[in-house]
Amino acid sequence: MSLTLPTNYSNALAKPFRENLLVRLYYDSTNYTAIALYDHTVSSVAYTGCIVNNPSFRQTIKLEKGTSSNSNVSLDCADAAFGSDKLSALLINGTNTYLSRKVEIYSILNDSSDIADAVKIYVGRLQSVKMSDARVKINIVAHRPWDFVNLPNT
């Protein structure tokens, strides 16, 4: 599957650019909590800049051996405020359920304010949330179509 870049995104790559990662942590099929590397409003959605690490995406495929390993992403976040709640309170003890729900990660360049200029670079599911000091560690694993399917399926 090839990746098609929006015109504004590909044009921005030709010169020095500033990238922001937009993360959507879904708690149901359409609603999500929006976090990012830095504060940014995109298509009327305010993304809170609380990610303090530069996440990397890891995936390996060894064609000669016929093996692969699925990717995962770890986000270290400051325990930022979301209204009257902290991020840790939302994810760990909140009224919404985030665990095993969809997570989408987008790359957007040069502070664009239109989600159409962003590229979806990762889709996964929230595997775990851990709290340490004033940091929230979020672990995301690749979403696979066969997750939670029991075989044999009768």
Side-chain angles (χ1 to χ4, degrees):
M1 179 168 113
S2 64
L3 182 65
T4 304
L5 298 176
T7 303
N8 289 345
Y9 194 95
S10 58
N11 290 342
L13 290 173
K15 50 192 166 227
F17 59 87
R18 180 178 183 195
E19 181 182 35
N20 195 2
L21 293 180
L22 310 176
V23 180
R24 294 178 174 181
L25 302 166
Y26 284 84
Y27 53 87
D28 63 26
S29 61
T30 57
N31 296 305
Y32 56 87
T33 297
I35 63 174
L37 291 174
Y38 56 87
D39 288 345
H40 194 161
T41 300
V42 178
S43 296
S44 301
V45 176
Y47 290 82
T48 302
C50 63
I51 302 171
V52 295
N53 69 325
N54 190 11
S56 61
F57 305 88
R58 298 169 295 280
Q59 187 167 357
T60 59
I61 299 173
K62 296 180 182 177
L63 295 175
E64 70 279 359
K65 293 183 179 180
T67 62
S68 68
S69 67
N70 287 321
S71 59
N72 68 322
V73 179
S74 293
L75 302 176
D76 290 325
C77 302
D79 199 10
F82 287 81
S84 61
D85 291 324
K86 296 276 192 177
L87 179 62
S88 59
L90 284 176
L91 298 177
I92 297 172
N93 293 324
T95 57
N96 298 316
T97 304
Y98 290 88
L99 286 177
S100 293
R101 299 288 173 102
K102 181 169 70 168
V103 177
E104 294 176 337
I105 301 177
Y106 294 83
S107 170
I108 195 162
L109 301 180
N110 296 336
D111 299 327
S112 175
S113 60
D114 189 357
I115 196 66
D117 294 335
V119 176
K120 186 187 299 187
I121 57 174
Y122 190 84
V123 177
R125 63 180 174 84
L126 184 60
Q127 183 181 42
S128 65
V129 178
K130 295 180 184 173
M131 185 73 190
S132 95
D133 298 326
R135 298 268 193 247
V136 179
K137 184 168 180 123
I138 300 170
N139 191 37
I140 306 161
V141 296
H143 176 71
R144 300 171 303 231
W146 57 85
D147 282 347
F148 308 114
V149 173
N150 295 322
L151 295 174
N153 189 357
T154 56

